[in-house]
Amino acid sequence: MKVTGVLNKVIVIESLAEEELKTGTRLFEDRLMYMDSLDENLSAELFSVEDSDVFINCLRTISQRIPKENIAPIIHIECHGDEDGFMLADGGHLPWNRFRNELIKINFASRLNTLVVVGACDGANLIGTATQMDGAPFFGVIGVQEEVKAGDLERRFRDFYSAFFETKDGDMAMQALNKDIADNEPRFRFIGARALFEASFRSYYWKFCRGRGKRERIEFLVSRVLQNPEIKGRGIKYARTKVKEQLSNPEDDFEFFRKRFFFSDHLPEVLERFPMKFEDVIRASDA
């Protein structure tokens, strides 16, 4: 993680039932609310939300405030999670995709300087929702796949934020977060937007730009363009030829998705932070 010096506000969003240990509140009061003593440019804020509508409204408020207050946020989520999304204080559910859609707006508003930290089991599933290449929902995300005890989670995040803002070193902060975790125990993962995009496009390329996948894609698009009366009047052979011409250069797809994912039409400086070449991306290994 190389954005430690840019990030300037931790926003904790907590949604836990009344009888549960309020790990987000405790983390905020014990460690985060005093961040300005380390640096006057740092600050933290706590939101307690009951249901999905309030949660979404909270995210939208953050998105609106970011450009006005020049915020580069860490969005820290404290609630329970499962493979489908967050479980909230009122017993309701917030799907990962709905959360991701709001994060895209926040990340765009912050000029792709949003780090998401998910203090919930199955938080790493958020990564799976960000493979659609329709916009980066974060600069990076930190989460854990398996269940972690609330007390252990609280202690680890105290150590994480201490290391993060005292050393200004994201790698050291991740080491603090995973300190003394055995190899067979759940570990917190960080994944950045660049790695996420590269893996997503590589999967897309090998599924839809080669062999059978490409042929099926061509026929699907041919059926779509034939819905245009003008194209239909020229015949299926003409339609297929035109579709093949459009799909002849997968580097065009690469540039299209890269610009869309990193918002470069509106944030042209962002691509300088994420240099990559088509040939390198498709040849790399996901291992």
Side-chain angles (χ1 to χ4, degrees), residues 89-104:
D90 70 339
H93 199 262
L94 179 65
W96 292 120
N97 270 323
R98 192 177 178 198
F99 179 51
R100 176 193 67 97
N101 291 341
E102 298 304 323
L103 286 180
I104 290 174

Side-chain angles (χ1 to χ4, degrees), residues 8-109:
N8 58 21
K9 190 179 188 73
V10 181
I11 300 174
V12 180
I13 304 177
E14 178 183 75
S15 189
L16 296 166
E18 186 63 33
E19 68 276 7
E20 293 184 285
L21 181 67
K22 298 300 186 291
T23 51
T25 299
R26 288 163 60 101
L27 176 66
F28 176 79
E29 294 177 347
D30 182 56
R31 193 58 47 98
L32 298 177
M33 66 185 298
Y34 306 110
M35 282 171 42
D36 57 356
S37 65
L38 297 173
D39 186 328
E40 63 180 6
N41 295 314
L42 300 177
S43 63
E45 197 165 353
L46 172 67
F47 294 91
S48 295
V49 301
E50 290 293 318
D51 56 48
S52 60
D53 288 339
V54 177
F55 200 122
I56 292 299
N57 286 336
C58 176
L59 294 172
R60 290 176 179 172
T61 298
I62 293 168
S63 179
Q64 293 167 3
R65 287 175 53 191
I66 282 173
K68 298 176 183 178
E69 301 176 26
N70 196 28
I71 297 172
I74 298 176
I75 307 295
H76 182 110
I77 308 297
E78 282 287 330
C79 61
H80 296 293
D82 59 25
E83 62 182 12
D84 298 317
F86 292 127
M87 295 175 286
L88 305 181
D90 70 339
H93 199 262
L94 179 65
W96 292 120
N97 270 323
R98 192 177 178 198
F99 179 51
R100 176 193 67 97
N101 291 341
E102 298 304 323
L103 286 180
I104 290 174
K105 300 172 188 176
I106 289 173
N107 199 32
F108 176 77

Side-chain angles (χ1 to χ4, degrees), residues 180-250:
D180 298 327
I181 294 180
D183 291 339
N184 62 340
E185 293 179 326
R187 297 184 66 84
F188 293 86
R189 299 172 56 203
F190 168 85
I191 186 168
R194 174 175 174 168
L196 182 61
F197 173 80
E198 289 179 343
S200 300
F201 182 81
R202 186 157 50 249
S203 175
Y204 168 86
Y205 173 80
W206 289 108
K207 286 181 180 178
F208 300 114
C209 298
R210 305 275 296 180
R212 179 180 177 180
K214 181 177 181 180
R215 292 192 296 272
E216 291 177 350
R217 182 181 172 207
I218 288 172
E219 293 310 310
F220 171 77
L221 292 175
V222 167
S223 67
R224 291 285 300 273
V225 300
L226 283 173
Q227 295 175 21
N228 183 319
E230 182 180 345
I231 300 295
K232 186 176 181 180
R234 297 193 179 200
I236 191 171
K237 184 176 180 181
Y238 172 83
R240 187 173 287 112
T241 298
K242 287 300 181 181
V243 168
K244 287 182 177 180
E245 287 176 359
Q246 290 294 317
L247 301 184
S248 62
N249 186 5

